[in-house]
Amino acid sequence: MSSYGRSYSSESYAPSAPSLPESYSQQEDDRRSYGSSRPQSSGYGVHQNHQQQQQYHQPPPAYGQGQGQSSSPTGYSGFPPGTHPDVIRSFEMVDVDRSGYIDEKELQRALSSGYQRFNLRTIRLLMFLFKNPHDALRIGPKEFAALWSCLGQWRAIYDRYDRDRSGKIDLFELRDALYGLGYAVPPSVLKILMSKYDDGSGRKIELGFDSFVECGLILKGLTEKFKEKDKRYVGQATFNYDEFMSTVLPFLVAYD
Amino acid sequence: MSSYGRSYSSESYAPSAPSLPESYSQQEDDRRSYGSSRPQSSGYGVHQNHQQQQQYHQPPPAYGQGQGQSSSPTGYSGFPPGTHPDVIRSFEMVDVDRSGYIDEKELQRALSSGYQRFNLRTIRLLMFLFKNPHDALRIGPKEFAALWSCLGQWRAIYDRYDRDRSGKIDLFELRDALYGLGYAVPPSVLKILMSKYDDGSGRKIELGFDSFVECGLILKGLTEKFKEKDKRYVGQATFNYDEFMSTVLPFLVAYD
């Protein structure tokens, strides 16, 4: 255990991890890797691999975030400049009342319009982690674009580690894929995470993209919360009781 | 915030909180109350009230834990001496293959045989918190008896705070009922917990017994984990990254 969570490789956390909205990424610029005991160069290595990956396994067009595309062709003003028209179209398609916000069911429809279906559990985690923390349970154009872009990056990484193109990844592929996201997850933690998908049949546990996203979101959310309390970046965080409960409970609540 | 989680009343945690199995109650004998800012006497007061309560609002017979009853009338050897025959009968009824263990679906059936139905989410939390941590997702007679007894105590407390006999408790009743279980929950934490049951309709949030048990289990489980890391009982716990993830993840995993 002692080799994990204490020895950090520099630069291996932030570069490849897709960004959450501002409120969740206050410390995104610190470049430490939680839980990593890999060599120093691995962080950038991961990032570079990810870039290379994108050249030969492009994420599906619907998830791609266009660059230099004209933004908001249909009048929605909240999208960041350069947002791909597909993203705006997907948002529009489900925001039938033109409120400028979508709820969890609408998000599920928007994301499931392509090839990938997400279960409501993953959708709720996405909503919880991407929505404005002071807002109700809904997201606007800006958060939707960030979420879409994040999923595009995760898809590219997932496809890379699904080496046999089975549409499933196993424990070792998950480990590598999460490392591709910037998380060097200790085996003990990985084992707990993986047990979530054990159906008790004794069969080898494998994850589809949906479950991979769920794992990635849980790790991302909790790691960022930990980092907020690990002010000196020493791999240790001290919580008082209220802080601990207020940090952990929202994950359980989001996970209805 | 500073008044919570720092000032402890003595004796207010352990006495009234029903015990989990050994592995989860290593520090059950420390008598501090997490999150409590109530006067010193309140802990025992709560406990005494609870005892008084049991005299005039008995838990339903099926949940009562008999004392001095003959144990294991039907051959099951794993029940503690004094286990009420109803408890053994309920276990037997669902353990159709006589393996001596029941899984989550069977636990749901065993507990739902009376007047109360539990949803699978609560059942999974019960299973997670009461099962032997080194065992698979199943419980034996000993754990079943402990769980049944715990539910009986919680039922008595719930009934006490459901003052208008509506079968529902509101935010303030929940606060008092959790205090009855031994948890002085800060308002901020209570608010997060309660939001889990907000259906977005704007109606007042009220909890049935099932949801009350779910809240109690979450608080109980997380508080005990916190206490394990708060070795000096100062209301602060320091986690390294692996510990933090390994502490929190099982709750999310149990909560499938």
Side-chain angles (χ1 to χ4, degrees):
Chain A
M1 289 288 282
S2 64
S3 70
Y4 290 107
R6 291 200 175 141
S7 63
Y8 294 124
S9 63
S10 67
E11 311 288 353
S12 75
Y13 173 72
S16 62
S19 296
L20 288 182
E22 276 160 32
S23 54
Y24 287 102
S25 57
Q26 291 158 359
Q27 292 160 354
E28 201 72 61
D29 59 339
D30 89 275
R31 300 288 176 106
R32 290 163 190 276
S33 159
Y34 282 95
S36 169
S37 63
R38 302 203 185 189
Q40 286 222 347
S41 63
S42 60
Y44 273 133
V46 167
H47 188 230
Q48 284 160 358
N49 288 342
H50 168 45
Q51 293 300 328
Q52 287 160 11
Q53 168 59 22
Q54 287 191 310
Q55 292 164 15
Y56 55 91
H57 295 300
Q58 286 293 335
Y63 278 133
Q65 190 191 36
Q67 298 200 342
Q69 304 269 357
S70 67
S71 70
S72 197
T74 52
Y76 269 99
S77 60
F79 288 99
T83 301
H84 194 287
D86 283 350
V87 180
I88 300 173
R89 219 168 286 134
S90 290
F91 188 89
E92 271 193 331
M93 198 179 70
V94 296
D95 180 27
V96 283
D97 65 356
R98 293 287 180 276
S99 64
Y101 287 98
I102 59 175
D103 66 18
E104 59 185 30
K105 292 271 183 196
E106 290 166 338
L107 177 61
Q108 188 178 37
R109 273 212 305 285
L111 296 179
S112 300
S113 58
Y115 59 100
Q116 174 65 50
R117 224 187 125 63
F118 289 95
N119 73 50
L120 206 52
R121 221 168 59 200
T122 307
I123 292 290
R124 278 177 180 151
L125 269 179
L126 275 166
M127 190 70 111
F128 165 56
L129 290 171
F130 279 90
K131 80 180 185 68
N132 183 326
H134 306 296
D135 213 341
L137 211 59
R138 59 182 198 171
I139 58 172
K142 186 179 156 197
E143 294 82 21
F144 184 73
L147 186 158
W148 192 283
S149 163
C150 174
L151 284 177
Q153 293 174 58
W154 288 21
R155 180 82 229 185
I157 290 169
Y158 179 85
D159 284 344
R160 179 182 172 204
Y161 289 100
D162 175 24
R163 293 194 189 90
D164 58 0
R165 295 287 173 278
S166 61
K168 297 275 180 187
I169 57 174
D170 66 17
L171 177 70
F172 300 105
E173 290 167 336
L174 173 67
R175 181 198 60 197
D176 293 346
L178 290 173
Y179 192 68
L181 291 182
Y183 300 103
V185 185
S188 58
V189 173
L190 207 59
K191 203 177 144 196
I192 301 170
L193 207 52
M194 209 71 182
S195 72
K196 191 171 179 59
Y197 307 98
D198 186 354
D199 62 4
S201 68
R203 277 196 301 265
K204 185 175 155 188
I205 309 171
E206 292 185 311
L207 309 189
F209 181 60
D210 184 359
S211 303
F212 169 67
V213 169
E214 188 180 20
C215 282
L217 290 173
I218 291 173
L219 280 175
K220 184 166 187 57
L222 287 175
T223 300
E224 280 166 13
K225 288 294 174 189
F226 184 87
K227 284 167 72 186
E228 283 173 24
K229 298 298 294 177
D230 179 20
K231 300 232 190 284
R232 290 180 298 124
Y233 308 128
V234 292
Q236 282 203 328
T238 299
F239 298 83
N240 67 35
Y241 178 71
D242 292 15
E243 288 167 346
F244 178 73
M245 298 301 279
S246 302
T247 296
V248 177
L249 277 178
F251 285 86
L252 287 168
V253 169
Y255 227 37
D256 205 354
Chain B
M1 291 286 283
S2 64
S3 68
Y4 289 108
R6 290 197 178 145
S7 62
Y8 293 124
S9 62
S10 66
E11 313 286 353
S12 76
Y13 172 72
S16 63
S19 297
L20 288 183
E22 276 160 32
S23 56
Y24 288 101
S25 57
Q26 291 158 359
Q27 291 160 354
E28 202 71 60
D29 59 339
D30 89 274
R31 300 288 176 102
R32 289 164 190 276
S33 158
Y34 282 95
S36 168
S37 62
R38 302 204 184 189
Q40 284 224 346
S41 63
S42 61
Y44 273 134
V46 167
H47 188 230
Q48 285 158 359
N49 288 344
H50 168 45
Q51 292 300 328
Q52 286 159 12
Q53 167 61 21
Q54 286 192 312
Q55 292 164 16
Y56 56 91
H57 295 302
Q58 286 293 336
Y63 279 134
Q65 190 190 37
Q67 298 199 342
Q69 305 269 357
S70 67
S71 70
S72 198
T74 52
Y76 269 99
S77 59
F79 286 99
T83 302
H84 195 287
D86 283 350
V87 181
I88 301 173
R89 220 169 284 133
S90 291
F91 188 90
E92 270 194 331
M93 199 179 71
V94 296
D95 181 27
V96 282
D97 65 356
R98 293 288 182 274
S99 64
Y101 287 97
I102 58 176
D103 65 19
E104 60 185 28
K105 291 272 182 195
E106 291 167 338
L107 178 60
Q108 188 178 37
R109 274 212 304 284
L111 295 178
S112 299
S113 58
Y115 59 100
Q116 175 64 51
R117 224 187 125 64
F118 289 96
N119 72 49
L120 206 52
R121 220 168 59 200
T122 307
I123 292 290
R124 279 177 180 152
L125 269 178
L126 275 166
M127 190 69 110
F128 164 56
L129 290 171
F130 278 90
K131 80 179 185 70
N132 183 326
H134 306 296
D135 213 341
L137 211 60
R138 59 182 197 171
I139 58 171
K142 187 179 157 196
E143 295 81 21
F144 184 72
L147 185 158
W148 193 283
S149 164
C150 173
L151 284 177
Q153 292 174 58
W154 288 20
R155 181 82 229 186
I157 290 170
Y158 179 86
D159 285 344
R160 179 181 173 205
Y161 290 100
D162 175 24
R163 294 194 188 90
D164 58 0
R165 295 287 173 278
S166 61
K168 298 274 180 188
I169 57 174
D170 67 16
L171 177 70
F172 300 105
E173 291 166 335
L174 173 67
R175 181 197 60 198
D176 293 345
L178 290 173
Y179 192 69
L181 291 182
Y183 301 102
V185 185
S188 57
V189 173
L190 207 59
K191 203 177 145 196
I192 300 170
L193 208 52
M194 208 72 181
S195 71
K196 190 171 181 59
Y197 307 98
D198 187 353
D199 62 3
S201 68
R203 276 196 301 266
K204 185 175 154 189
I205 308 172
E206 293 185 310
L207 309 189
F209 182 59
D210 185 359
S211 303
F212 169 67
V213 169
E214 188 180 19
C215 281
L217 289 174
I218 291 172
L219 281 175
K220 184 168 187 56
L222 287 175
T223 301
E224 280 166 12
K225 288 294 173 190
F226 184 86
K227 285 168 73 187
E228 282 173 24
K229 298 298 294 177
D230 180 20
K231 300 231 189 286
R232 290 180 299 123
Y233 308 129
V234 292
Q236 282 202 331
T238 299
F239 297 83
N240 68 36
Y241 178 70
D242 292 15
E243 288 167 346
F244 178 73
M245 297 301 278
S246 303
T247 296
V248 177
L249 278 178
F251 285 87
L252 287 167
V253 169
Y255 228 36
D256 205 355

